[in-house]
Each structure stands twice: as C-alpha cells, then as structure tokens.
Amino acid sequence: MKKVINAPERVVEEMCRGMELAHPGLLRLIPEHNVLVRADAPVQNKVALVSGGGSGHEPTHGGYVGPGMLDAACAGSVFTSPTPDQMLEATKAVDGGDGVFYVVKNYTGDVLNFEMAGELAEDEGIQTDYVVTNDDVAVEDSTFTSGRRGIAGTIFVHKIAGGAADDGKDLAGVKEIAERVNSNVRSMGMALTSCIPPESGEPIFEIGDDEMEIGMGIHGEPGIERKKIEPADEIVDELLQKVLGDTVDFTQGDVAVMVNGLGGTPLMELYIAYAHVSDVLEREGVDVYKMAYVGEYMTSLEMAGFSVTLLKLDEDMKRYLEAPCDVAAGRPF
Amino acid sequence: MKKVINAPERVVEEMCRGMELAHPGLLRLIPEHNVLVRADAPVQNKVALVSGGGSGHEPTHGGYVGPGMLDAACAGSVFTSPTPDQMLEATKAVDGGDGVFYVVKNYTGDVLNFEMAGELAEDEGIQTDYVVTNDDVAVEDSTFTSGRRGIAGTIFVHKIAGGAADDGKDLAGVKEIAERVNSNVRSMGMALTSCIPPESGEPIFEIGDDEMEIGMGIHGEPGIERKKIEPADEIVDELLQKVLGDTVDFTQGDVAVMVNGLGGTPLMELYIAYAHVSDVLEREGVDVYKMAYVGEYMTSLEMAGFSVTLLKLDEDMKRYLEAPCDVAAGRPF
C-alpha cells in the first residue's frame, strides 16, 4: 500500500486537521467529531446546509463547505457513514435559527443516520429536513443502497441548494429546489482500477489488467458490465447512452455537464473524455450550459475512472449555480 | 496500460480540443499547433504571457490561461518540449503590441526552444523576453536539465507575473518580478509510483512496492535517495529540511505555501501532509500567508507523490497573488 499517511486509523482526523489549517478563515474543525464547519457559523437568517458521508471522496464533502454552499460537512471513516452523533454536532454548530437541511447521498447507512440525527436535533428544538440524492443510473439497489446510488450529481445539489439558502428560501423552499435538482440530474461512472482504503490496505475489488467496469460505484459496488478496456469515445458512448436514455429529457433547455475524475485518472484523460461528451451531446441536440465542469469533484481515493453527470437546468437553478460561493474545492488562486 | 484515451498518438490534440470545448469564452485553440490562448487574445496595452512545456503535467499550463495569468500555453507531446514553431504561433496570437514574456521551466529542450522562438518573434517585430524557473532544490543538473529543475513553484510565477502584466508593467518590469519570484521560491517533491506515458505504455522508472524516492522530478528524473516508504510526517520533514535549508530565509515575512499532488495521490493525503507542513513551519518560525495551496497544480500524469513549495512574499507579490484571475485550473463553480 503506497500512501502518504502516518497511520491508517488516523487518516480522517489528520485530513480534517489539515483542511482546517490550510483554510483559516474559511473552515473550522469540531475536532473530536471530524466535522468541518464554516468559520463564521452559525450564520443567522438563513437555512444551514449540512452534508457528509464516508471519507475517501475528497473534495466531497469538506471541500464544499463555505459561503454559498455547505455550512458543515461530517467526515465518516473511509467509505463509512458518519454517525448520528457527528451529524448532531454539525447541526447544532450551524443552526442559525432557520433550521438545518441535510444533503444525503443514497447509501443505507447515511440515510438512516441522517434521519436519526434529524430526530435528535428536533428533540433539541432545531428544525431539520433532508433530500436523498440518487443520480446514478447504473443500477437499482446495490451493495450499500436500496434504489439508486447518489454520486457526483450531489455536488450540483450542494451548489444550487446553497444558493437558494443564501437567497433566503426557507427550509421547505430549500428542500423543494434540492429535490428538483435531484429529479433532473443523472450520472454514470466507470472504473479502470480499484482504490485501496488505508484501513484494510487491500483493493476493494479485483480487476484484470485489461479490464474495466461500466457503472461501477464510488465504493467499488458492482456496475453493469465487466469488459475489456475500450477507447475513450466508446466508453463515453456507453455512459451517455444510459444517462440520456433515462427519464429526463435533456434535449429541452440548457444542461450542466460534469466529467468527474475518480482520483487516479489524469486531467488529460478527463478532457479527452469531455471532447467526445461534447460531440455526442451536440449530435443528440443537448445544449451544454456555459462551461463544463471537468475535474475531481467526488473521488474514490486513487481509483482510476470517471463519471459523467447531466443536469437539466431551469432558471432558478441557473441563478443559484452561478451565485457566488467560496469553498476550498478546486481553489486555485 | 489503463487509460481513458483513444489513441496514444492523439492524446495531446484531443486533450486540447476538450479544454477548448469545456471552456468556451475562456480558451481558444490554435488547432494545428496545440496552443491554447485566451479567447479574447490579443489583449491590447499589456505584456502577454506565454508558457508551455511537455504535456502530462495538467493543469499545467493550459489550465492557467485566462485573464490575470497566462495569455497562451503551448502543449508539447507528453514530457517533451513544444517546438519553437508552436511557441511562435502562440507569440503571434497573443502579442498586443507591448511584447511577449515567456515563463520557461528549466529543462534544456524548453529553454532552447523558447530562446529560438524569441529570436523568430523578434524577426517578426515582436519584442520578447523570458524567465527560466528553477525552484526544485533536490538536485543540481538532471536528466533533462542543466542546473536546477523548474517545478510547481512556476505556478506562482504565472500568477504574480500575470498580475504584474495586468497592472501595466512593461516587459522589463514583468521580467523583474518574475525573476524576483523565482529567486524566492523553493520546492521539493517525492514519488511513490511511476506514471505511464501513453506513447510508450511503460512506466518511466521501476520502484519497489515498499519504496519511495525523495527528490524525484516530474518526469521521473532521479532524486536524492531511494528508500523504504516512511510515515507522511517524516517525508514532510525531509522535504522541508532541504527547502528551508536552502538559500532563502523563510523566517522573515510572509510565505505562500503549496502542497502539490503529482496526480495519483488522493486529496486526503495531501491534506494529511499539509497538517505536518503547517506544524513544522510554525515550529521553525515561518508565517504562512493566508490560505495554503493544497491540490493538483503541476502533475506527472498518474504518478503518486507530492511536492512542497515555499515562496517568500513581498508586498508586490502579495498584491499580484491576490489580484483577480479567471482560469480553468481548479475551477469549481
């Protein structure tokens, strides 16, 4: 196992500490709980947004904490849901009186724990609500999921719901637009290699030197098909065929497009994939809205592979997608 | 070789095309030349900045093209200098009448070719000048370099020289501050794994499953020592000892700090490394200026490893470091 770590059992706490130290004035760590909150939390007169999940998907979710997106992120152990206790600490730290909204990726542990955290918060007089994201069209039901999995499309929910909260929407209003985004976003990914979680030190799945898996989940959950590696254009064709063939009609209106690297795939390859994504979408009559999102938004440690996400936009979504935000993810200069 | 590509011989041209398609309004491709220029080039009344080098280091350099940073980037073949011809095309495309300044990493091919491009440009009546960056303290002379290598510190030159050009500095003024940055920036890196350039399909070096190399270059050039993998904190200690022990006194004034991933190392590990960088710098009396730069700024395809860069700032540099810019690298929302 080749990793820049000190001890497998301390990776999450050391990472969270590093994030706080690297981003003073932006992030504050609740240290015993591996919860990163906005440095200025709680913010008054707005709904607070909290997300979280297993670690290993960075910059998801801590990288999206800051003005305009999340108020807090709870970091679980690698690929393991945070506990209701962590979520409750986050909730209490960010509630400014207008309630707290949870963005939850659809994995059974995450959903149960956020539901429990919401009940605990209500007991303390904090109003909560949540959305469960399930944008991955690859498979129904999976290793850790009943229904579809939540993957990179979740980041659009963070951004747009964050913009809506800043715009003064109440808890019901934030939930409504978060659900609207989730209803209009579809993703699918593929993997070339496994990652190695630090705790086990072993790959989470075996895959041949000449093989790839279409529809693989971000924790290595099985996809649709294991097959020989194909050229980038053919891989993109397969992913887009399934995304475009699902229930959202992407040919009406503008569409936000994300090509998300899973960690081990160089940016060069993501742009090669995007070139064909662009060609296919043009051929299919799908209008890409402004710039595409090409980079690492939701990873799986050092897994090689990528996903493609399409979000059908309406005017509200466009406005909130473009609203200012200030987060650590992708921060260049 | 597990890559998302179509054909090894087309990776650079397809990547450049993907970058242009993903970032309309920001980037324009000179297609036969794999040169990415600002969409609004040439910009009048300012010195234009051009950089470039072998591909495989993305987002370097195309990701730094845009208002406030570079006017153009020339993409060579993977790990191979662009040609003088490409550089001349870039120069002609961006010159707005105030001359063109080249930011060149210190590799023999890059330096020779940019020098030749400058001569060709002068023949066409375009004034040029250049800086050669050599921030890597690991070794003197190397596989492709006479003197020290230019690595991630180069990105600070892009940003600060870009700010100076926007501020109306003339060619001599831009050169002066670019050289000042280069004189005050020091970096060193390490690698855990080799990358695999698409053209050869083979790792560029062999390294044992339990080994790392301290001081490795971004093209796999030899470093200082090959040894067993150590904990992150010890690796950071070794890199910082050499960086801090070089000729710049980082204990006076503010210092910009970058922890740069080489491509295959998860963001989690970069933040774990940063936590100890922060501790060591505090212990040594080095003041980190505002937020640290933690992410992938100059990669080596999918190589696992990272580098640490320190830049001693003066007031000019701070102003230009914080000046607005709009580039594709790290663009989140």
Side-chain angles (χ1 to χ4, degrees):
Chain A
M1 178 173 64
K2 303 199 111 175
K3 291 190 183 294
V4 181
I5 63 174
N6 291 301
E9 66 279 11
R10 292 206 311 271
V11 293
V12 176
E13 87 186 59
E14 291 186 0
M15 168 186 72
C16 288
R17 183 166 174 269
M19 291 194 73
E20 181 190 42
L21 288 166
H23 304 290
L26 178 66
L27 298 178
R28 176 163 54 81
L29 178 64
I30 308 180
E32 303 298 306
H33 293 277
N34 295 333
V35 170
L36 287 158
V37 301
R38 280 176 63 158
D40 58 353
V43 181
Q44 305 301 314
N45 299 317
K46 87 168 194 74
V47 171
L49 261 67
V50 173
S51 191
S55 292
H57 305 300
E58 290 69 31
T60 296
H61 295 275
Y64 301 109
V65 173
M69 291 186 79
L70 303 177
D71 293 78
C74 308
S77 298
V78 173
F79 297 168
T80 303
S81 173
T83 62
D85 206 40
Q86 287 177 277
M87 298 165 181
L88 181 63
E89 288 299 321
T91 304
K92 292 194 289 188
V94 301
D95 178 47
D98 287 358
V100 178
F101 186 73
Y102 300 146
V103 181
V104 187
K105 301 192 300 302
N106 190 32
Y107 300 98
T108 306
D110 295 67
V111 175
L112 288 174
N113 288 352
F114 268 109
E115 282 176 344
M116 189 175 301
E119 289 169 19
L120 296 169
E122 304 270 347
D123 290 345
E124 304 207 12
I126 302 173
Q127 207 187 349
T128 70
D129 208 335
Y130 65 97
V131 67
V132 176
T133 63
N134 59 354
D135 52 310
D136 186 349
V137 301
V139 293
E140 291 293 327
D141 304 332
S142 193
T143 318
F144 312 109
T145 306
S146 165
R148 286 179 169 183
R149 303 176 295 223
I151 58 172
T154 306
I155 309 308
F156 285 126
V157 179
H158 291 350
K159 180 68 184 74
I160 292 170
D166 268 4
D167 194 33
K169 295 251 188 223
D170 64 9
L171 200 52
V174 171
K175 182 186 175 83
E176 186 279 320
I177 197 162
E179 291 193 328
R180 207 184 328 154
V181 174
N182 187 57
S183 299
N184 284 282
V185 67
R186 298 289 185 274
S187 302
M188 191 158 130
M190 61 81 64
L192 288 166
T193 66
S194 174
C195 58
I196 299 179
E199 289 86 342
S200 72
E202 300 293 333
I204 50 179
F205 58 87
E206 297 298 327
I207 187 164
D209 281 347
D210 58 350
E211 287 182 321
M212 64 176 182
E213 180 142 340
I214 298 287
M216 169 82 59
I218 58 172
H219 313 91
E221 307 97 311
I224 295 173
E225 194 179 4
R226 178 74 60 98
K227 55 164 77 170
K228 299 280 182 209
I229 299 175
E230 295 170 347
D233 289 0
E234 290 179 32
I235 298 170
V236 165
D237 285 339
E238 286 180 64
L239 299 182
L240 278 180
Q241 184 175 29
K242 195 105 164 84
V243 167
L244 292 171
D246 202 68
T247 52
V248 179
D249 179 3
F250 289 105
T251 64
Q252 304 299 317
D254 291 320
V255 174
V257 180
M258 178 183 284
V259 171
N260 170 60
L262 291 179
T265 287
L267 192 53
M268 167 184 278
E269 298 173 33
L270 300 182
Y271 277 114
I272 289 171
Y274 182 74
H276 193 62
V277 167
S278 173
D279 289 344
V280 172
L281 294 181
E282 181 166 16
R283 188 190 68 209
E284 298 294 325
V286 176
D287 292 330
V288 180
Y289 186 63
K290 298 196 172 176
M291 295 203 202
Y293 299 82
V294 181
E296 294 184 347
Y297 293 85
M298 183 180 290
T299 63
S300 185
L301 294 169
E302 72 275 34
M303 189 184 286
F306 71 105
S307 60
V308 180
T309 297
L310 268 58
L311 166 62
K312 181 178 174 174
L313 295 164
D314 60 28
E315 293 309 309
D316 289 338
M317 294 185 210
K318 286 183 194 175
R319 188 165 73 251
Y320 297 139
L321 192 59
E322 286 168 60
C325 71
D326 180 20
V327 297
R331 175 184 287 273
F333 285 96
Chain B
M1 179 174 64
K2 301 199 111 174
K3 291 191 183 296
V4 181
I5 62 174
N6 290 301
E9 67 278 10
R10 291 206 312 271
V11 293
V12 176
E13 92 187 54
E14 290 187 359
M15 168 187 72
C16 289
R17 184 166 174 269
M19 290 194 73
E20 182 190 41
L21 288 166
H23 305 289
L26 177 66
L27 299 178
R28 177 163 53 83
L29 178 64
I30 308 180
E32 303 299 305
H33 294 277
N34 295 332
V35 170
L36 286 158
V37 302
R38 279 176 62 159
D40 58 352
V43 180
Q44 304 301 314
N45 299 316
K46 88 168 194 76
V47 171
L49 262 67
V50 173
S51 191
S55 293
H57 305 300
E58 290 69 29
T60 295
H61 294 277
Y64 302 109
V65 173
M69 291 186 79
L70 302 177
D71 293 77
C74 308
S77 298
V78 173
F79 298 168
T80 304
S81 173
T83 63
D85 206 39
Q86 287 176 277
M87 297 165 181
L88 181 63
E89 288 298 321
T91 304
K92 292 194 287 187
V94 302
D95 178 48
D98 287 358
V100 178
F101 186 73
Y102 300 146
V103 182
V104 187
K105 301 191 302 301
N106 191 31
Y107 300 99
T108 306
D110 296 68
V111 175
L112 287 174
N113 289 352
F114 268 109
E115 283 176 345
M116 189 174 301
E119 289 169 19
L120 295 170
E122 304 271 347
D123 289 346
E124 304 208 15
I126 302 174
Q127 207 187 346
T128 70
D129 208 336
Y130 66 97
V131 66
V132 177
T133 63
N134 58 353
D135 52 309
D136 186 349
V137 301
V139 293
E140 291 291 328
D141 303 332
S142 193
T143 319
F144 312 109
T145 306
S146 166
R148 286 179 169 183
R149 303 176 295 223
I151 56 172
T154 306
I155 309 307
F156 285 126
V157 179
H158 290 350
K159 181 66 184 73
I160 292 170
D166 268 3
D167 194 34
K169 296 249 187 227
D170 64 9
L171 200 53
V174 171
K175 182 185 175 82
E176 187 278 320
I177 197 160
E179 291 193 326
R180 207 184 326 156
V181 174
N182 188 55
S183 299
N184 284 282
V185 68
R186 298 291 184 274
S187 302
M188 191 158 129
M190 61 80 64
L192 289 165
T193 65
S194 174
C195 58
I196 299 179
E199 288 86 344
S200 73
E202 300 294 332
I204 50 178
F205 57 87
E206 296 298 327
I207 187 164
D209 281 347
D210 57 352
E211 286 182 323
M212 63 176 182
E213 180 143 341
I214 298 286
M216 169 83 58
I218 57 171
H219 314 92
E221 308 96 312
I224 296 173
E225 195 180 2
R226 178 74 60 101
K227 55 163 77 171
K228 299 278 182 210
I229 298 175
E230 295 170 346
D233 289 0
E234 290 178 32
I235 298 169
V236 165
D237 285 340
E238 286 180 65
L239 298 182
L240 278 180
Q241 184 176 29
K242 195 108 166 83
V243 168
L244 292 171
D246 203 68
T247 52
V248 178
D249 179 3
F250 289 106
T251 65
Q252 305 298 318
D254 291 319
V255 174
V257 179
M258 179 184 283
V259 170
N260 170 59
L262 291 179
T265 287
L267 191 54
M268 167 184 278
E269 298 173 33
L270 301 181
Y271 277 114
I272 289 171
Y274 182 74
H276 193 63
V277 167
S278 174
D279 290 344
V280 172
L281 294 181
E282 182 167 15
R283 188 189 69 210
E284 299 294 325
V286 176
D287 293 330
V288 180
Y289 187 63
K290 299 197 171 175
M291 294 202 200
Y293 300 81
V294 180
E296 294 184 348
Y297 292 85
M298 183 181 289
T299 62
S300 184
L301 294 169
E302 71 275 35
M303 189 183 286
F306 70 104
S307 61
V308 180
T309 297
L310 267 59
L311 167 62
K312 181 179 175 174
L313 294 165
D314 60 26
E315 293 309 309
D316 289 339
M317 294 186 211
K318 286 182 194 175
R319 189 165 72 251
Y320 297 139
L321 193 57
E322 288 168 59
C325 72
D326 180 20
V327 297
R331 175 184 288 272
F333 283 97

